[in-house]
Amino acid sequence: MACPDDSELSIVITDDEQIREINRDYLDRDRPTNVISFAMQEGEGGGLQPGLLGDVVISAETAARDAAEAGLPFESELFFLLLHGILHLLGFDHERGSEEDARIMEEKEREVFAIIESEFPVSQEGS
């Protein structure tokens, strides 16, 4: 995971209604989702602002449901979704890439999330 030390990203925590609209308008998927990333280093304008990684949009409602279903703390799910979104901004892709790309991303998620959990422990109670 290489990015300049002075990199920036924006994080938006929203609800299912707003993330559904974003998902519909930008990805042609008319449904809520847990996290969406918009990389600023890809596409036609990529590289114009090298320190700007992009945007991570997280639905707190979906995160809360997912955490409750998995018996995980809400904060833990938020940390994981933010990590997932940042990995997308750094070029990891489990959707458009190969199965190997997905495996590599999942390994990186596990590796980094273990560090996050050790540095920022959260209560093990469900949401």
Side-chain angles (χ1 to χ4, degrees), residues 32-51:
T33 189
N34 52 11
V35 61
I36 299 173
S37 297
F38 296 100
M40 297 300 291
Q41 298 305 313
E42 295 178 358
E44 197 172 304
L48 291 177
Q49 295 183 349

Side-chain angles (χ1 to χ4, degrees), residues 67-120:
E69 288 173 11
L72 298 171
F74 174 68
E75 295 86 356
S76 182
E77 184 68 10
L78 281 180
F79 288 160
F80 179 80
L81 292 174
L82 179 57
L83 167 61
H84 185 87
I86 291 170
L87 288 176
H88 276 294
L89 296 181
L90 294 174
F92 289 86
D93 195 343
H94 62 94
E95 293 181 324
R96 295 177 290 183
S98 67
E99 287 183 24
E100 178 68 6
D101 292 335
R103 186 190 62 74
I104 291 168
M105 183 173 181
E106 289 170 12
E107 284 181 8
K108 185 56 75 174
E109 281 176 334
R110 280 193 296 274
E111 174 190 336
V112 176
F113 195 64
I115 295 167
I116 292 169
E117 286 183 313
S118 70
E119 294 292 322
F120 304 98

